[in-house]
PDB file of all heavy atoms in Angstrom:
ATOM      1  N   MET M 125     -28.214  10.269  34.170  1.00  0.00           N
ATOM      2  CA  MET M 125     -29.069  10.782  33.100  1.00  0.00           C
ATOM      3  C   MET M 125     -29.626   9.634  32.254  1.00  0.00           C
ATOM      4  O   MET M 125     -30.795   9.648  31.877  1.00  0.00           O
ATOM      5  CB  MET M 125     -28.284  11.769  32.230  1.00  0.00           C
ATOM      6  CG  MET M 125     -29.154  12.453  31.171  1.00  0.00           C
ATOM      7  SD  MET M 125     -28.283  13.771  30.298  1.00  0.00           S
ATOM      8  CE  MET M 125     -28.764  15.218  31.220  1.00  0.00           C
ATOM      9  N   ILE M 126     -28.816   8.636  32.022  1.00  0.00           N
ATOM     10  CA  ILE M 126     -29.288   7.480  31.251  1.00  0.00           C
ATOM     11  C   ILE M 126     -30.410   6.773  32.014  1.00  0.00           C
ATOM     12  O   ILE M 126     -31.421   6.359  31.421  1.00  0.00           O
ATOM     13  CB  ILE M 126     -28.117   6.514  30.959  1.00  0.00           C
ATOM     14  CG1 ILE M 126     -27.100   7.189  30.038  1.00  0.00           C
ATOM     15  CG2 ILE M 126     -28.634   5.218  30.328  1.00  0.00           C
ATOM     16  CD1 ILE M 126     -25.792   6.423  29.867  1.00  0.00           C
ATOM     17  N   GLU M 127     -30.251   6.674  33.330  1.00  0.00           N
ATOM     18  CA  GLU M 127     -31.318   6.047  34.137  1.00  0.00           C
ATOM     19  C   GLU M 127     -32.617   6.829  34.026  1.00  0.00           C
ATOM     20  O   GLU M 127     -33.707   6.250  33.936  1.00  0.00           O
ATOM     21  CB  GLU M 127     -30.870   5.940  35.603  1.00  0.00           C
ATOM     22  CG  GLU M 127     -29.815   4.848  35.786  1.00  0.00           C
ATOM     23  CD  GLU M 127     -29.375   4.676  37.229  1.00  0.00           C
ATOM     24  OE1 GLU M 127     -29.090   5.708  37.888  1.00  0.00           O
ATOM     25  OE2 GLU M 127     -29.308   3.521  37.699  1.00  0.00           O
ATOM     26  N   LYS M 128     -32.494   8.136  34.038  1.00  0.00           N
ATOM     27  CA  LYS M 128     -33.690   8.973  33.877  1.00  0.00           C
ATOM     28  C   LYS M 128     -34.353   8.716  32.529  1.00  0.00           C
ATOM     29  O   LYS M 128     -35.575   8.666  32.426  1.00  0.00           O
ATOM     30  CB  LYS M 128     -33.301  10.459  33.929  1.00  0.00           C
ATOM     31  CG  LYS M 128     -33.313  11.069  35.310  1.00  0.00           C
ATOM     32  CD  LYS M 128     -33.224  12.599  35.164  1.00  0.00           C
ATOM     33  CE  LYS M 128     -32.833  13.242  36.466  1.00  0.00           C
ATOM     34  NZ  LYS M 128     -32.540  14.672  36.284  1.00  0.00           N
ATOM     35  N   LEU M 129     -33.527   8.569  31.511  1.00  0.00           N
ATOM     36  CA  LEU M 129     -34.069   8.351  30.164  1.00  0.00           C
ATOM     37  C   LEU M 129     -34.781   7.008  30.070  1.00  0.00           C
ATOM     38  O   LEU M 129     -35.829   6.891  29.426  1.00  0.00           O
ATOM     39  CB  LEU M 129     -32.947   8.433  29.126  1.00  0.00           C
ATOM     40  CG  LEU M 129     -32.407   9.846  28.889  1.00  0.00           C
ATOM     41  CD1 LEU M 129     -31.130   9.820  28.056  1.00  0.00           C
ATOM     42  CD2 LEU M 129     -33.460  10.718  28.201  1.00  0.00           C
ATOM     43  N   ILE M 130     -34.206   6.006  30.738  1.00  0.00           N
ATOM     44  CA  ILE M 130     -34.862   4.691  30.740  1.00  0.00           C
ATOM     45  C   ILE M 130     -36.200   4.793  31.473  1.00  0.00           C
ATOM     46  O   ILE M 130     -37.226   4.296  30.991  1.00  0.00           O
ATOM     47  CB  ILE M 130     -33.951   3.631  31.389  1.00  0.00           C
ATOM     48  CG1 ILE M 130     -32.721   3.385  30.493  1.00  0.00           C
ATOM     49  CG2 ILE M 130     -34.720   2.321  31.601  1.00  0.00           C
ATOM     50  CD1 ILE M 130     -31.680   2.458  31.099  1.00  0.00           C
ATOM     51  N   ALA M 131     -36.161   5.494  32.613  1.00  0.00           N
ATOM     52  CA  ALA M 131     -37.384   5.647  33.415  1.00  0.00           C
ATOM     53  C   ALA M 131     -38.462   6.381  32.633  1.00  0.00           C
ATOM     54  O   ALA M 131     -39.658   6.130  32.800  1.00  0.00           O
ATOM     55  CB  ALA M 131     -37.061   6.391  34.709  1.00  0.00           C
ATOM     56  N   ALA M 132     -38.040   7.277  31.773  1.00  0.00           N
ATOM     57  CA  ALA M 132     -38.999   8.061  30.988  1.00  0.00           C
ATOM     58  C   ALA M 132     -39.405   7.338  29.697  1.00  0.00           C
ATOM     59  O   ALA M 132     -40.099   7.921  28.858  1.00  0.00           O
ATOM     60  CB  ALA M 132     -38.407   9.423  30.666  1.00  0.00           C
ATOM     61  N   ASP M 133     -38.919   6.110  29.540  1.00  0.00           N
ATOM     62  CA  ASP M 133     -39.241   5.326  28.345  1.00  0.00           C
ATOM     63  C   ASP M 133     -38.647   5.918  27.064  1.00  0.00           C
ATOM     64  O   ASP M 133     -39.184   5.716  25.979  1.00  0.00           O
ATOM     65  CB  ASP M 133     -40.770   5.217  28.153  1.00  0.00           C
ATOM     66  CG  ASP M 133     -41.272   3.901  28.727  1.00  0.00           C
ATOM     67  OD1 ASP M 133     -40.435   2.981  28.884  1.00  0.00           O
ATOM     68  OD2 ASP M 133     -42.473   3.810  29.016  1.00  0.00           O
ATOM     69  N   CYS M 134     -37.568   6.651  27.231  1.00  0.00           N
ATOM     70  CA  CYS M 134     -36.908   7.227  26.057  1.00  0.00           C
ATOM     71  C   CYS M 134     -35.669   6.416  25.699  1.00  0.00           C
ATOM     72  O   CYS M 134     -34.987   6.720  24.711  1.00  0.00           O
ATOM     73  CB  CYS M 134     -36.490   8.667  26.338  1.00  0.00           C
ATOM     74  SG  CYS M 134     -37.910   9.747  26.509  1.00  0.00           S
ATOM     75  N   ALA M 135     -35.356   5.417  26.534  1.00  0.00           N
ATOM     76  CA  ALA M 135     -34.167   4.617  26.284  1.00  0.00           C
ATOM     77  C   ALA M 135     -34.412   3.207  26.769  1.00  0.00           C
ATOM     78  O   ALA M 135     -35.311   2.967  27.581  1.00  0.00           O
ATOM     79  CB  ALA M 135     -32.963   5.228  27.005  1.00  0.00           C
ATOM     80  N   TYR M 136     -33.638   2.257  26.247  1.00  0.00           N
ATOM     81  CA  TYR M 136     -33.803   0.862  26.637  1.00  0.00           C
ATOM     82  C   TYR M 136     -32.448   0.163  26.627  1.00  0.00           C
ATOM     83  O   TYR M 136     -31.553   0.531  25.859  1.00  0.00           O
ATOM     84  CB  TYR M 136     -34.765   0.140  25.676  1.00  0.00           C
ATOM     85  CG  TYR M 136     -34.338   0.216  24.223  1.00  0.00           C
ATOM     86  CD1 TYR M 136     -33.568  -0.797  23.643  1.00  0.00           C
ATOM     87  CD2 TYR M 136     -34.677   1.313  23.433  1.00  0.00           C
ATOM     88  CE1 TYR M 136     -33.165  -0.722  22.321  1.00  0.00           C
ATOM     89  CE2 TYR M 136     -34.276   1.398  22.109  1.00  0.00           C
ATOM     90  CZ  TYR M 136     -33.520   0.378  21.553  1.00  0.00           C
ATOM     91  OH  TYR M 136     -33.112   0.465  20.250  1.00  0.00           O
ATOM     92  N   ALA M 137     -32.333  -0.800  27.529  1.00  0.00           N
ATOM     93  CA  ALA M 137     -31.113  -1.595  27.578  1.00  0.00           C
ATOM     94  C   ALA M 137     -31.303  -2.815  26.694  1.00  0.00           C
ATOM     95  O   ALA M 137     -32.385  -3.395  26.661  1.00  0.00           O
ATOM     96  CB  ALA M 137     -30.831  -2.023  29.015  1.00  0.00           C
ATOM     97  N   ALA M 138     -30.258  -3.149  25.953  1.00  0.00           N
ATOM     98  CA  ALA M 138     -30.334  -4.325  25.093  1.00  0.00           C
ATOM     99  C   ALA M 138     -28.937  -4.843  24.820  1.00  0.00           C
ATOM    100  O   ALA M 138     -28.086  -4.083  24.329  1.00  0.00           O
ATOM    101  CB  ALA M 138     -31.027  -3.961  23.777  1.00  0.00           C
ATOM    102  N   ASP M 139     -28.696  -6.093  25.191  1.00  0.00           N
ATOM    103  CA  ASP M 139     -27.449  -6.724  24.812  1.00  0.00           C
ATOM    104  C   ASP M 139     -26.228  -5.973  25.365  1.00  0.00           C
ATOM    105  O   ASP M 139     -25.248  -5.757  24.658  1.00  0.00           O
ATOM    106  CB  ASP M 139     -27.382  -6.775  23.266  1.00  0.00           C
ATOM    107  CG  ASP M 139     -26.481  -7.905  22.793  1.00  0.00           C
ATOM    108  OD1 ASP M 139     -26.031  -8.699  23.646  1.00  0.00           O
ATOM    109  OD2 ASP M 139     -26.220  -7.967  21.577  1.00  0.00           O
ATOM    110  N   GLY M 140     -26.324  -5.533  26.632  1.00  0.00           N
ATOM    111  CA  GLY M 140     -25.219  -4.800  27.254  1.00  0.00           C
ATOM    112  C   GLY M 140     -25.134  -3.343  26.865  1.00  0.00           C
ATOM    113  O   GLY M 140     -24.370  -2.567  27.425  1.00  0.00           O
ATOM    114  N   HIS M 141     -25.930  -2.932  25.896  1.00  0.00           N
ATOM    115  CA  HIS M 141     -25.953  -1.547  25.452  1.00  0.00           C
ATOM    116  C   HIS M 141     -27.166  -0.844  26.054  1.00  0.00           C
ATOM    117  O   HIS M 141     -28.136  -1.483  26.445  1.00  0.00           O
ATOM    118  CB  HIS M 141     -26.097  -1.456  23.932  1.00  0.00           C
ATOM    119  CG  HIS M 141     -24.922  -1.988  23.175  1.00  0.00           C
ATOM    120  ND1 HIS M 141     -24.581  -3.318  23.158  1.00  0.00           N
ATOM    121  CD2 HIS M 141     -24.005  -1.343  22.399  1.00  0.00           C
ATOM    122  CE1 HIS M 141     -23.505  -3.489  22.397  1.00  0.00           C
ATOM    123  NE2 HIS M 141     -23.135  -2.309  21.928  1.00  0.00           N
ATOM    124  N   VAL M 142     -27.098   0.473  26.079  1.00  0.00           N
ATOM    125  CA  VAL M 142     -28.307   1.252  26.318  1.00  0.00           C
ATOM    126  C   VAL M 142     -28.479   2.154  25.105  1.00  0.00           C
ATOM    127  O   VAL M 142     -27.515   2.808  24.676  1.00  0.00           O
ATOM    128  CB  VAL M 142     -28.242   2.096  27.604  1.00  0.00           C
ATOM    129  CG1 VAL M 142     -29.550   2.846  27.812  1.00  0.00           C
ATOM    130  CG2 VAL M 142     -27.951   1.215  28.813  1.00  0.00           C
ATOM    131  N   LEU M 143     -29.675   2.145  24.556  1.00  0.00           N
ATOM    132  CA  LEU M 143     -29.914   2.959  23.357  1.00  0.00           C
ATOM    133  C   LEU M 143     -30.988   4.001  23.583  1.00  0.00           C
ATOM    134  O   LEU M 143     -31.959   3.751  24.317  1.00  0.00           O
ATOM    135  CB  LEU M 143     -30.323   2.038  22.202  1.00  0.00           C
ATOM    136  CG  LEU M 143     -29.153   1.176  21.762  1.00  0.00           C
ATOM    137  CD1 LEU M 143     -29.488  -0.287  21.863  1.00  0.00           C
ATOM    138  CD2 LEU M 143     -28.687   1.569  20.386  1.00  0.00           C
ATOM    139  N   PHE M 144     -30.817   5.116  22.973  1.00  0.00           N
ATOM    140  CA  PHE M 144     -31.860   6.133  22.993  1.00  0.00           C
ATOM    141  C   PHE M 144     -32.872   5.770  21.921  1.00  0.00           C
ATOM    142  O   PHE M 144     -32.518   5.451  20.784  1.00  0.00           O
ATOM    143  CB  PHE M 144     -31.282   7.518  22.703  1.00  0.00           C
ATOM    144  CG  PHE M 144     -32.320   8.608  22.808  1.00  0.00           C
ATOM    145  CD1 PHE M 144     -32.541   9.251  24.021  1.00  0.00           C
ATOM    146  CD2 PHE M 144     -33.099   8.966  21.709  1.00  0.00           C
ATOM    147  CE1 PHE M 144     -33.515  10.237  24.135  1.00  0.00           C
ATOM    148  CE2 PHE M 144     -34.073   9.943  21.817  1.00  0.00           C
ATOM    149  CZ  PHE M 144     -34.287  10.587  23.029  1.00  0.00           C
ATOM    150  N   SER M 145     -34.131   5.825  22.314  1.00  0.00           N
ATOM    151  CA  SER M 145     -35.191   5.463  21.385  1.00  0.00           C
ATOM    152  C   SER M 145     -35.660   6.705  20.632  1.00  0.00           C
ATOM    153  O   SER M 145     -36.400   7.533  21.151  1.00  0.00           O
ATOM    154  CB  SER M 145     -36.353   4.852  22.165  1.00  0.00           C
ATOM    155  OG  SER M 145     -37.492   4.788  21.335  1.00  0.00           O
ATOM    156  N   VAL M 146     -35.201   6.807  19.425  1.00  0.00           N
ATOM    157  CA  VAL M 146     -35.527   8.003  18.645  1.00  0.00           C
ATOM    158  C   VAL M 146     -37.040   8.193  18.439  1.00  0.00           C
ATOM    159  O   VAL M 146     -37.540   9.316  18.542  1.00  0.00           O
ATOM    160  CB  VAL M 146     -34.750   8.000  17.311  1.00  0.00           C
ATOM    161  CG1 VAL M 146     -35.299   9.043  16.346  1.00  0.00           C
ATOM    162  CG2 VAL M 146     -33.273   8.252  17.571  1.00  0.00           C
ATOM    163  N   PRO M 147     -37.805   7.126  18.188  1.00  0.00           N
ATOM    164  CA  PRO M 147     -39.255   7.326  17.998  1.00  0.00           C
ATOM    165  C   PRO M 147     -39.955   7.877  19.245  1.00  0.00           C
ATOM    166  O   PRO M 147     -41.075   8.380  19.139  1.00  0.00           O
ATOM    167  CB  PRO M 147     -39.771   5.913  17.680  1.00  0.00           C
ATOM    168  CG  PRO M 147     -38.584   5.181  17.176  1.00  0.00           C
ATOM    169  CD  PRO M 147     -37.410   5.732  17.924  1.00  0.00           C
TER     170      PRO M 147
END
Side-chain angles (χ1 to χ4, degrees):
Chain M
M125 186 172 265
I126 294 170
E127 287 182 313
K128 270 193 196 171
L129 288 169
I130 292 174
D133 263 340
C134 292
Y136 56 94
D139 205 7
H141 294 68
V142 182
L143 291 122
F144 184 90
S145 166
V146 167

